[in-house]
Amino acid sequence: MLPYIILFSCLIPIGIWLRFFTPRRGFWFGHRSDRTPHHDEDWKMVNKLIGICCLYSGLVLTASSICAMFFPELRLTYIILMLIAFTTASIFIIEYFIDSNIHSE
């Protein structure tokens, strides 16, 4: 369980970094597709949203991994299913946000 706690707790500083310190445009993504935000305010909003999703996912998954150490009823399968659910929900939230709020060229 300890590797999962370490892995999920790494999402927390990544989320804080993306939420409060937005990387410059093209820092790691670049402009690879038509869906990449081209305006600076869009870039900042999308990175803040990704940071919020990472932060909350990391908090919940770390807490559930710690609980799984003390309560054997919480199996690793449930934690992996929660990871899949959080990842899928984050993708849909970010896609909806991009479709409704990004400026068109």
Side-chain angles (χ1 to χ4, degrees):
M1 237 352 107
L2 188 61
Y4 293 103
I5 294 172
I6 294 169
L7 176 71
F8 295 145
S9 64
C10 287
L11 287 173
I12 298 169
I14 291 171
I16 291 172
W17 180 62
L18 286 173
R19 173 71 177 99
F20 296 108
F21 306 106
T22 305
R24 65 177 163 77
R25 213 166 46 133
F27 179 69
W28 53 26
F29 297 117
H31 292 293
R32 298 183 188 163
S33 69
D34 295 334
R35 305 228 0 120
T36 305
H38 297 288
H39 297 288
D40 286 336
E41 63 268 3
D42 295 339
W43 178 262
K44 289 178 184 177
M45 285 191 301
V46 168
N47 277 297
K48 285 184 180 187
L49 183 65
I50 292 171
I52 290 169
C53 289
C54 282
L55 182 64
Y56 289 143
S57 298
L59 289 172
V60 170
L61 290 170
T62 302
S64 63
S65 297
I66 292 171
C67 289
M69 285 179 56
F70 299 110
F71 300 107
E73 303 89 41
L74 293 173
R75 302 267 187 251
L76 181 64
T77 309
Y78 297 124
I79 295 172
I80 299 299
L81 287 175
M82 284 194 324
L83 173 66
I84 292 169
F86 274 111
T87 305
T88 306
S90 297
I91 289 170
F92 284 123
I93 289 169
I94 293 167
E95 271 300 311
Y96 176 76
F97 178 78
I98 287 175
D99 283 342
S100 62
N101 292 326
I102 296 298
H103 297 97
S104 59
E105 289 294 320

